[in-house]
């Protein structure tokens, strides 16, 4: 899986671009909104990689990331909820 392709952004995209793309795709593919759970999982994993500077650097340097075996894409819901608590275009 190429996280840049999953989120539809160019390599080297800014944190803002990563977050905006994640928000847009997560809303579109969210299982509670009738989206595909597998696609949502891929989006969550891609965001987990690209939003973490260490994982992003590892992916950029080596083309892969040693994903933590404990990674649970459902935990991304907490991040997702926090992003949408305030104004969508606000400082979040």
């Amino acid at each position: 899986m190429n996280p840049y392709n999953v989120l539809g952004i160019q390599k080297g995209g800014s944190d803002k671009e990563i977050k905006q793309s994640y928000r847009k795709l997560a809303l579109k593919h969210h299982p509670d909104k009738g989206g595909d759970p597998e696609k949502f999982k891929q989006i969550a994993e891609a965001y987990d990689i690209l939003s973490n500077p260490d994982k992003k650097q590892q992916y950029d340097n080596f083309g892969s990331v040693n994903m933590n075996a404990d990674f649970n894409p459902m935990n991304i819901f907490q991040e997702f909820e926090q992003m949408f608590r305030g104004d969508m275009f606000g400082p979040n």
Side-chain angles (χ1 to χ4, degrees):
M1 170 192 71
N2 179 329
Y4 292 102
N5 289 346
V6 171
L7 294 182
I9 59 174
Q10 296 292 319
K11 186 174 180 178
S14 70
D15 291 341
K16 183 178 179 179
E17 289 173 311
I18 292 167
K19 192 173 192 176
Q20 285 177 337
S21 181
Y22 167 73
R23 284 180 167 183
K24 178 182 173 185
L25 292 170
L27 281 173
K28 180 178 179 181
H29 297 284
H30 195 285
D32 290 347
K33 305 250 185 209
D36 179 9
E38 285 303 312
K39 180 70 174 172
F40 185 78
K41 181 179 175 183
Q42 287 180 344
I43 293 164
E45 288 177 7
Y47 181 73
D48 182 62
I49 292 168
L50 297 181
S51 65
N52 180 310
D54 294 330
K55 289 180 182 180
K56 183 178 178 184
Q57 182 178 14
Q58 185 180 359
Y59 182 83
D60 288 347
N61 290 337
F62 304 110
S64 67
V65 174
N66 293 330
M67 290 296 288
N68 183 345
D70 296 332
F71 174 75
N72 180 355
M74 300 314 277
N75 288 343
I76 204 78
F77 284 116
Q78 292 173 344
E79 176 74 20
F80 187 71
E81 288 173 10
Q82 288 176 355
M83 281 195 283
F84 288 101
R85 281 192 184 145
D87 180 11
M88 184 171 170
F89 301 104
N92 291 337

